[in-house]
Amino acid sequence: MPNYRRATVLAIFILAVLYLFASPRSSSSATPRSHLINDGVTHALPTGRPLSTSQQTARAYPPPQQANSQRMSNQQPIAEPIGKTLREKLQYQFPYDLEAKFPAYIWQTWKYTPASGEFGDNFRAAEASWTEKHPGFVHEVVTDTAAVSLLKYLYASVPEVLEAYNALPLPVLKADFFRYLILLARGGIYTDIDTTAIVSTTDWIPPEVPRSTIGLVIGIEADADRPDWQQWYSRRIQFCQWTIQAKPGHPVLRDVVATLTEDVLRMKKQGILKKNKMDKSIVEFTGPAVWTDAVFNYLNNPNFFKMEGKNITWEAFTGMESAKKVGDVVVLPITSFSPGVEQMGAKAVDDPMAFVKHEFEGKHASSE
């Protein structure tokens, strides 16, 4: 019997201890761990949104409360760019951050993707060279059909841009417009499908030049040092647009997108946005001429540069043999993107300044 009594007392004691530990703690005890932000880790709020950096402090958060209708009625929504100009809308949607890194994107366009049997063997080695030279980059070959969906997503808030793109009557015009649009919205590298990467973009810029001071990298297509240059080229110095590297939102891209949109909608309204009826050639409309003008307009814009009383013209870039930085723009010599053309001072493909080789085979046929 004594042993039975001891066992009974012991069992009652154990049950009492378990009851005390299992009972709820008073409200004066510590806040539950799930409401503390003190370990540097982003925890989820009741809404499911991640906390901002400023919210990651060692303080307890009370339980969520019912919204105060009076307080909510006094809140002001974020201002939308209503009544803004096209350029202001583009700046609002795609802000420019000079100190950001160049996005690791490679954009190309063609009628088919490399996965298609109709892609074309003549482009496969060139297309693959960009992936080989840029491991870790996102490399996309965007078809004409995919471009429509992608731009609809990126430019839904700027419908006049979408209207302009969809109204273009020729594939070559859309291909030109797309490169500016994708770089403005996402940045990275655009390069034509018939270009071969000779050197990685990480080696295009001299190592002593901080990447945080550069927003646009371009190359010279033509340096026509001859009296009759106007018979062959649109500009005395012409910047190529078959390969461009940019950070998203760059003002040059914003300007060229706005200019093209305005020109397209003007021609559409006039009823001349048709093949053989447009009042501009392809080169002047969407090609290297309008691109070159946008670059020079930017370099001579007092809103971006402190002007010294003399405009920057073609003379600043003729005869270049090495990279030149003007503001946040790096201009590469003609050898960099046109090696082996054997004219205008371009050197051989094996020259140290040769970065990209263009085969001039990839333009969409304008008759399609």
Side-chain angles (χ1 to χ4, degrees), residues 33-262:
R33 178 65 185 85
S34 61
H35 287 172
L36 286 175
I37 308 297
N38 60 3
D39 57 356
V41 179
T42 301
H43 297 269
L45 288 174
T47 59
R49 298 189 183 95
L51 299 178
S52 65
T53 304
S54 62
Q55 290 172 310
Q56 297 182 32
T57 56
R59 69 181 178 91
Y61 286 87
Q65 300 177 356
Q66 293 295 323
N68 187 312
S69 59
Q70 179 65 31
R71 186 188 307 165
M72 291 185 67
S73 65
N74 293 331
Q75 291 179 344
Q76 298 297 320
I78 298 175
E80 293 291 336
I82 300 174
K84 301 290 186 181
T85 66
L86 177 56
R87 284 169 173 78
E88 290 170 337
K89 290 180 184 178
L90 292 171
Q91 183 177 9
Y92 178 89
Q93 295 296 332
F94 309 111
Y96 174 46
D97 183 0
L98 173 61
E99 297 183 355
K101 294 182 178 180
F102 280 99
Y105 294 130
I106 299 171
W107 304 101
Q108 296 184 289
T109 59
W110 192 236
K111 293 172 283 187
Y112 312 102
T113 69
S116 169
E118 299 181 78
F119 180 70
D121 292 339
N122 54 324
F123 295 139
R124 291 195 180 278
E127 184 272 337
S129 70
W130 288 95
T131 298
E132 293 166 1
K133 294 291 184 181
H134 302 87
F137 278 54
V138 175
H139 182 184
E140 294 287 346
V141 177
V142 183
T143 64
D144 299 341
T145 302
V148 174
S149 299
L150 179 57
L151 295 179
K152 185 177 181 180
Y153 167 75
L154 295 173
Y155 286 87
S157 58
V158 196
E160 53 265 62
V161 171
L162 294 176
E163 180 186 354
Y165 178 83
N166 292 325
L168 288 170
L170 300 174
V172 64
L173 300 176
K174 289 186 175 181
D176 280 342
F177 201 7
F178 178 84
R179 70 196 65 197
Y180 309 132
L181 292 169
I182 195 64
L183 290 178
L184 176 63
R186 287 292 180 261
I189 304 159
Y190 171 84
T191 191
D192 277 357
I193 198 66
D194 59 346
T195 59
T196 298
I198 301 172
V199 175
S200 170
T201 56
T202 57
D203 298 321
W204 288 3
I205 303 169
E208 64 272 14
V209 179
R211 269 49 174 182
S212 61
T213 65
I214 302 168
L216 182 66
V217 181
I218 57 177
I220 292 177
E221 175 184 358
D223 183 4
D225 187 14
R226 50 189 292 174
D228 61 345
W229 66 265
Q230 290 178 310
Q231 298 180 23
W232 303 93
Y233 299 97
S234 297
R235 304 293 183 268
R236 172 61 179 80
I237 282 284
Q238 191 163 288
F239 299 120
C240 77
Q241 33 93 272
W242 60 69
T243 301
I244 305 168
Q245 185 180 28
K247 293 177 181 177
H250 195 278
V252 173
L253 293 164
R254 186 195 315 147
D255 182 49
V256 76
V257 165
T259 298
L260 285 180
T261 300
E262 291 163 351

Side-chain angles (χ1 to χ4, degrees), residues 169-172 275 282 363-368:
L170 300 174
V172 64
K275 183 181 177 181
I282 293 175
K363 282 289 184 182
H364 287 72
S366 60
S367 60
E368 295 179 0

